DNA sequence: TCTTCTGTCTACCAATTGGTAGAACAGCGG
DNA sequence: CCGCTGTTCTACCAATTGGTAGACAGAAGA
């Protein structure tokens, strides 16, 4: 794998778990068996690296979503929601750093330096239109599609990343726990989203 | 107001908006018209200050919740949930730094140094028991009360703090927007929580 | 008046931070 | 063998960080 790609991967892992401020270029380079100057050779600044990592994470996130959702009837909003929930929960288990990074990127301070990936913005637009269609046909509750979309996003995100909160309260989340949580969330969404 | 209290208040504001790592003792002191050594006179370290600020924020948060919920029939779970939602949304508008700080405190890295306030833990226990009673009487969906509680918490939190995400996407949240969001969330919760 | 305690200050400090300048070195085409 | 290009290195650096030591001032109490 190219050095550049190794840097991106390791940085995603570290930024997503330890946070951007909590990760020094020095420590990152040590983990890679390099000097930090080599990192700065590929990315002009730490901020540029962060931007690149966010872009990569957003792309990976969307790829996972697309892979699942593309198998589904685009008119079946509920099936799409269910697919999205499944993806997010799987990522929470298998790629926790990825979700951590997306959360890190949407923190108040970080947004100043880093714009959300273009692809993510486009994807949100598309999802918004899909929801608007569903709304017009009366298959979903709610008025403002974009706001409803954000509601879905933050609900999924919040529930999926609460693993950390559970750990902090002394509850070690198990596979079974997460499965239960997903069931509860799906029941939540199902009752709120099914045809009126 | 005592200097100690002024430090706590300013620190909460700064930690909650700029983040802990993004706030230096120097900048904090400058904002207070002091030297950072004076801060360290009251709090032995930056971490101790953060711990104190988290405790204060948790207390304030719980006070707000208690004030609303104590007016409600303790057996009426739905009324309590509605009250909690109202409180969180009001805080999102009037004391955004407070919610920001609670989110900051539940970040992966921060929890290492800072335990959740004891009072918050006790409060969560109480809420858990209330939910369990409701579950036994069959007035609410769901199985595990503690998990359901976390679901409620993260859902409310996620939706309320998505103001930042909206801003990042170029949507300036208005009072009306937030009111709509609250309505949507309440509809969400109502349908999911009302007697089966 | 002398002492003591509280609070704020000046003066430092060691460590770490992100970042720059430029040497060394490898491989490769000519 | 030469020069070129891409990559990694050593050597620095200025700035900032959290934190320590101790002087100094003022108020309070004896």
């Amino acid at each position: 794998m190219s050095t550049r790609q190794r840097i991106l991967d390791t940085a995603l892992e570290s930024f997503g778990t330890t946070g951007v401020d909590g990760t020094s270029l020095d420590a990152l380079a040590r983990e890679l068996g390099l000097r930090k100057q080599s990192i700065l050779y590929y990315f002009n600044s730490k901020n540029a690296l962060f931007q690149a990592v966010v872009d990569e994470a957003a792309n990976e996130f969307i790829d996972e979503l697309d892979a699942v959702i593309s198998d589904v009837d685009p008119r079946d909003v509920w099936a799409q929601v269910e697919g999205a929930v499944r993806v997010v929960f799987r990522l929470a288990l298998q790629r926790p750093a990825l979700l951590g990074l997306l959360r890190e990127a949407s923190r108040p301070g970080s947004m100043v330096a880093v714009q959300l990936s273009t692809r993510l913005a486009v994807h949100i637009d598309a999802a918004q239109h899909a929801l608007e269609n569903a709304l017009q046909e009366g298959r979903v509750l709610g008025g403002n599609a974009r706001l409803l979309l954000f509601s879905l996003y933050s609900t999924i995100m919040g529930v999926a990343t609460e693993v950390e909160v559970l750990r902090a309260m002394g509850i070690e989340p198990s596979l079974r726990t997460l499965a239960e949580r997903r069931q509860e969330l799906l029941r939540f969404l199902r009752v709120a989203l099914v045809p009126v």
Side-chain angles (χ1 to χ4, degrees), chain A:
Chain A
M1 189 178 355
S2 76
T3 305
R4 192 193 145 92
Q5 192 57 46
R6 280 182 58 228
I7 295 175
L8 278 177
D9 291 349
T10 312
L12 192 153
E13 204 67 28
S14 195
F15 286 165
T17 53
T18 325
V20 181
D21 290 325
T23 304
S24 71
L25 292 182
D26 236 350
L28 202 59
R30 217 175 309 124
E31 205 170 337
L32 283 158
L34 293 175
R35 310 288 155 182
K36 65 175 171 183
Q37 289 80 356
S38 298
I39 297 179
L40 290 167
Y41 169 75
Y42 290 98
F43 306 92
N44 293 330
S45 69
K46 190 184 185 182
N47 243 314
L49 172 60
F50 183 43
Q51 170 77 60
V53 169
V54 169
D55 276 11
E56 204 201 19
N59 279 336
E60 186 176 343
F61 184 56
I62 294 171
D63 282 339
E64 297 277 355
L65 280 180
D66 281 345
V68 169
I69 291 181
S70 61
D71 290 340
V72 167
D73 177 9
R75 290 175 40 90
D76 189 346
V77 175
W78 167 248
Q80 289 182 44
V81 168
E82 200 175 27
V85 170
R86 209 179 325 126
V87 166
V88 173
F89 270 81
R90 183 164 49 74
L91 290 178
L93 270 179
Q94 296 176 352
R95 312 254 308 113
L98 199 158
L99 292 188
L101 188 108
L102 289 179
R103 210 173 67 148
E104 184 81 3
S106 60
R107 277 213 310 162
S110 307
M111 267 310 178
V112 180
V114 176
Q115 294 293 333
L116 259 184
S117 143
T118 343
R119 193 171 161 216
L120 184 52
V122 170
H123 199 268
I124 288 178
D125 278 342
Q128 177 177 357
H129 289 131
L131 264 182
E132 272 167 0
N133 287 338
L135 287 172
Q136 283 178 8
E137 301 172 17
R139 286 183 286 122
V140 186
L141 287 171
N144 186 318
R146 196 171 191 92
L147 291 177
L148 182 58
L149 186 66
F150 277 114
S151 175
L152 286 177
Y153 171 81
S154 51
T155 303
I156 297 176
M157 220 50 176
V159 174
T161 58
E162 97 191 21
V163 177
E164 300 147 11
V165 181
L166 286 173
R167 283 219 179 88
M169 302 297 295
I171 307 175
E172 185 58 28
S174 63
L175 277 171
R176 190 169 163 283
T177 302
L178 278 185
E180 283 178 8
R181 305 288 304 101
R182 206 183 83 189
Q183 287 309 314
E184 285 174 7
L185 177 60
L186 282 178
R187 197 165 47 224
F188 248 55
L189 298 178
R190 177 184 287 277
V191 186
L193 271 186
V194 284
V196 278

